């Protein structure tokens, strides 16, 4: 955005306070918001009011301990179970329990499946669609893990993806982000185990589907705009460049969160590592519903939220800058020379 920002600054005499306020928000408010999202520690308060007690009771029914559900905790166990329950019960119109709520894909996937829709099923054979808006492959999944787990992952040809997209059935639809773990099974088939991490705000999906994702960003150098059409083209191109950077940062954030989750779950025990990739039983049940697994999953939820907040703020800031540039162009060249106006 350097070129168009410089162009705006050189014409600041034409600006009004609204433009200045918009740019101040872009330069200061959003970075602070991003930083606060990254450092905030999720804390679960003790269940005291009626809503909290109901959520805690439901969480215990789903399979977590009374202490995890009711007491103050460093991670939001209660909210994590509530979110998982809401998604599962709306999708399948059936009660949710930790030990009976795994998701699987019918066929193995790869990065080529990004921006396509695949199908899967729960343990009862009920079908769902999964639209994969963004996918990230986790490279070198054997790094920084115990040798026995690394040997196991190699032996079953394991791979690991993070995704953001939309899961749906005829009953409901949710924007979600999560993980897909794949491995070869003894019978020669390949298992694709789906783990929903958290729900995603619809604005994130809208931003990920922005046409700028496919637009070229080629106007990075050259003379200053001589007319409104050129100014608009530069603003759009530099927005496209900013979008590309934000999307790559988002992918990196997802990969970091995914790698952290995988490593934490493997630390929880060999049984968890086996369940994670081969689907030989519930992921949580493999650890006896232990605090280790639940803590890793709740922490993953929080890490994904930080990715969403940072990405959304970056795109919003880029859009503000683009709008300010186009408004400045209208003032400089005249609205009669800027057909259509800013958009």
């Amino acid at each position: 955005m350097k070129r168009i920002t410089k162009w705006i600054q050189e014409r600041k005499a034409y600006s009004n306070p609204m433009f200045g306020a918009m740019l101040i928000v872009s330069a200061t408010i959003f970075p602070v918001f991003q930083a606060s999202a990254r450092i905030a520690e999720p804390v679960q308060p003790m269940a005291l009011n009626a809503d909290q007690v109901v959520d805690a009771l439901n969480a215990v029914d789903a399979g977590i301990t009374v202490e995890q559900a009711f007491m103050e905790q460093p991670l939001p166990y209660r909210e994590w179970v509530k979110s998982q329950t809401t998604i599962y019960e709306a999708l399948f119109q059936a009660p949710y329990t930790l030990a009976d709520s795994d998701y699987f894909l019918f066929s193995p996937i790869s990065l080529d499946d990004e921006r396509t829709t695949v199908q899967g099923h729960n343990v009862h054979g009920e079908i769902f669609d999964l639209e994969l808006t963004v996918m990230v492959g986790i490279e070198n999944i054997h790094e920084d893990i115990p040798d026995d787990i690394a040997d196991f992952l190699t032996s079953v040809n394991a791979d690991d993806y993070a995704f953001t997209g939309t899961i749906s059935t005829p009953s409901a639809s949710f924007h979600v982000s999560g993980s897909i773990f794949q491995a070869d099974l003894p019978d020669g088939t390949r298992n694709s185990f789906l783990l929903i991490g958290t729900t995603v705000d619809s604005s994130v999906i809208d931003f990920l589907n922005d046409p700028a994702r496919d637009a070229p960003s080629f106007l990075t150098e050259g003379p200053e705009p001589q007319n409104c059409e050129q100014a608009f083209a530069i603003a759009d191109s530099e927005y496209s460049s900013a979008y590309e950077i934000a999307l790559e940062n988002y992918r990196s954030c997802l990969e970091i969160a995914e790698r952290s989750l995988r490593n934490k779950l493997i630390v929880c025990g060999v049984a968890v590592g086996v369940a994670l990739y081969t689907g030989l039983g519930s992921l949580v049940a493999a650890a006896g519903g232990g605090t280790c697994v639940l803590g890793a999953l709740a922490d993953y939820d929080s890490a994904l939220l930080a990715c969403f907040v940072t990405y959304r703020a970056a795109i919003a800031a880029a859009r503000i800058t683009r709008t300010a540039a186009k408004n400045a162009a209208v003032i400089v060249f005249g609205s009669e020379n800027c057909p259509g106006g800013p958009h």
Side-chain angles (χ1 to χ4, degrees):
M1 287 292 176
K2 290 182 179 179
R3 182 180 171 202
I4 202 66
T5 301
K6 177 175 179 290
W7 186 82
I8 295 171
Q9 290 173 338
E10 290 174 348
R11 289 155 179 78
K12 60 186 178 182
Y14 295 100
S15 298
N16 62 33
M18 179 59 72
F19 295 154
M22 292 166 71
L23 293 175
I24 289 171
V25 168
S26 173
T28 61
I29 304 270
F30 280 115
V32 170
F33 185 46
Q34 294 175 40
S36 66
R38 287 195 294 269
I39 64 175
E41 281 293 333
V43 175
Q44 174 179 287
M46 182 180 295
L48 295 176
N49 63 44
D51 289 339
Q52 291 171 338
V53 170
V54 170
D55 290 343
L57 289 171
N58 290 335
V60 172
D61 285 341
I64 73 171
T65 67
V66 171
E67 182 177 4
Q68 290 167 344
F70 280 88
M71 303 304 291
E72 182 176 318
Q73 297 287 347
L75 292 166
Y77 299 110
R78 189 166 61 235
E79 286 300 314
W80 182 83
V81 174
K82 181 180 180 180
S83 174
Q84 296 292 318
T85 300
T86 298
I87 295 170
Y88 186 89
E89 293 188 349
L91 289 174
F92 303 114
Q93 302 295 296
Y96 170 89
T97 63
L98 287 172
D100 193 31
S101 57
D102 291 337
Y103 301 80
F104 302 93
L105 299 181
F106 280 115
S107 302
I109 62 162
S110 70
L111 291 178
D112 292 337
D113 291 302
E114 183 176 86
R115 305 181 79 173
T116 68
T117 299
V118 298
Q119 282 195 324
H121 62 93
N122 64 10
V123 296
H124 303 294
E126 297 168 304
I127 297 173
F128 61 83
D129 290 328
L130 180 66
E131 182 181 356
L132 298 165
T133 305
V134 165
M135 289 182 62
V136 179
I138 309 304
E139 298 182 357
N140 302 318
I141 64 172
H142 303 157
E143 289 182 347
D144 304 323
I145 59 176
D147 290 341
D148 55 347
I149 295 292
D151 292 342
F152 164 73
L153 295 180
T154 300
S155 70
V156 297
N157 191 28
D159 56 29
D160 187 348
Y161 299 94
F163 75 90
T164 299
T166 304
I167 187 170
S168 60
T169 67
S171 299
S173 178
F174 292 90
H175 301 312
V176 297
S177 193
S179 313
I180 298 170
F181 304 99
Q182 300 187 141
D184 295 337
L185 298 180
D187 64 3
T189 60
R190 188 159 178 78
N191 181 70
S192 294
F193 177 81
L194 172 70
L195 175 66
I196 296 177
T198 188
T199 55
V200 181
D201 188 272
S202 60
S203 65
V204 174
I205 299 295
D206 291 341
F207 286 163
L208 290 171
N209 286 323
D210 192 307
R213 181 167 175 172
D214 300 315
S217 52
F218 53 89
L219 296 171
T220 55
E221 299 293 340
E224 291 185 355
Q226 299 302 306
N227 55 51
C228 201
E229 182 179 5
Q230 292 178 3
F232 277 21
I234 291 171
D236 286 336
S237 180
E238 296 197 343
Y239 171 75
S240 180
S241 295
Y243 182 93
E244 183 178 342
I245 293 170
L247 182 57
E248 285 307 306
N249 288 340
Y250 180 67
R251 291 182 186 276
S252 296
C253 189
L254 289 182
E255 181 176 359
I256 292 170
E258 181 70 17
R259 189 178 296 277
S260 176
L261 169 69
R262 190 281 313 267
N263 289 351
K264 288 177 181 178
L265 289 174
I266 286 174
V267 168
C268 290
V270 174
V272 176
V274 172
L276 192 63
Y277 288 94
T278 65
L280 301 178
S282 167
L283 176 62
V284 176
T291 300
C292 184
V293 171
L294 290 173
L297 294 173
D299 199 31
Y300 181 54
D301 185 310
S302 298
L304 291 175
L305 178 60
C307 294
F308 307 151
V309 169
T310 302
Y311 171 74
R312 184 168 53 193
I315 297 299
R319 287 186 170 187
I320 287 173
T321 302
R322 178 180 61 178
T323 299
K326 291 187 175 184
N327 280 327
V330 170
I331 293 173
V332 171
F333 298 110
S335 59
E336 68 279 5
N337 298 314
C338 297
H343 57 275

